Amino acid sequence: MALLLRTVARQGLCSSRSQFGILYRHAVPMGTSAKEEMNKFWTKNTRLNRPVSPHISIYQWSVPMLLSISHRGTGVGLSSGISAFALAALVLPESYPYYLDLIHSMSFGPQFLAFSKFALAFPVAFHTFNGVRHLIWDVGKGFKIPEVYRSGYVVIALTVLASIGLAAM
């Protein structure tokens, strides 16, 4: 019976009988393969002189585009970093104070430590401020183009100021 149903489906015949609780009706003919469909697609696009999908190189970079990509990147980076630290806390043999003392014993200069603090604070601050921006958008505010740019510049300024402040502590 299954062979008969496959034959009916491939020939495109209509059947409205219920078989195993499934109503078979208006089966799509399966006379072409995926390769044949792709060849038809590319032939049609070539004939109509359609361009290939836009590539990132044809777009002019803008603040909203940069902030959107950066927000996703900092989200992935922060979650990966937190996961790595959690895994390290589970796997490494010593306790947190031991590793903190180990870092202090390496005698990094104050500039390196300030830069390291800034490098840790920047993605957290950016993701937080840009997340607040997204929450404001969720309420339906700030969608006009000048407001989008203005809020983007505010996010950048707040991020830099907060990161400098946190690194100075």
Side-chain angles (χ1 to χ4, degrees):
M1 188 63 176
L3 180 61
L4 176 65
L5 288 175
R6 269 190 252 137
T7 305
V8 168
R10 284 195 177 137
Q11 293 173 354
L13 299 176
C14 294
S15 173
S16 58
R17 285 185 29 207
S18 178
Q19 182 75 21
F20 306 114
I22 301 172
L23 185 64
Y24 294 99
R25 184 181 172 131
H26 301 294
V28 177
M30 298 180 65
T32 60
S33 68
K35 186 173 185 174
E36 291 168 340
E37 288 297 321
M38 286 300 297
N39 286 337
K40 285 195 311 191
F41 170 81
W42 287 114
T43 302
K44 179 181 176 184
N45 283 347
T46 304
R47 185 183 74 242
L48 296 174
N49 200 21
R50 289 182 177 163
V52 179
S53 296
H55 189 266
I56 198 165
S57 64
I58 70 165
Y59 290 109
Q60 182 179 0
W61 282 88
S62 64
V63 171
M65 180 191 295
L66 180 66
L67 293 181
S68 175
I69 294 168
S70 299
H71 187 74
R72 295 162 196 254
T74 55
V76 169
L78 289 170
S79 63
S80 299
I82 289 171
S83 298
F85 277 110
L87 184 63
L90 290 172
V91 174
L92 293 175
E94 297 294 333
S95 64
Y96 174 75
Y98 170 80
Y99 294 107
L100 192 58
D101 289 338
L102 181 66
I103 291 171
H104 282 296
S105 71
M106 291 182 186
S107 300
F108 291 118
Q111 295 85 6
F112 180 77
L113 289 177
F115 174 76
S116 297
K117 289 179 186 180
F118 182 84
L120 289 173
F122 189 86
V124 173
F126 173 77
H127 199 76
T128 300
F129 290 128
N130 206 36
V132 169
R133 179 179 181 224
H134 279 269
L135 288 174
I136 293 169
W137 286 350
D138 288 344
V139 176
K141 306 283 185 198
F143 280 124
K144 293 181 181 160
I145 298 298
E147 294 171 344
V148 170
Y149 276 87
R150 190 178 318 114
S151 65
Y153 290 126
V154 167
V155 165
I156 293 169
L158 288 173
T159 299
V160 170
L161 292 173
S163 300
I164 290 171
L166 290 170
M169 293 178 134

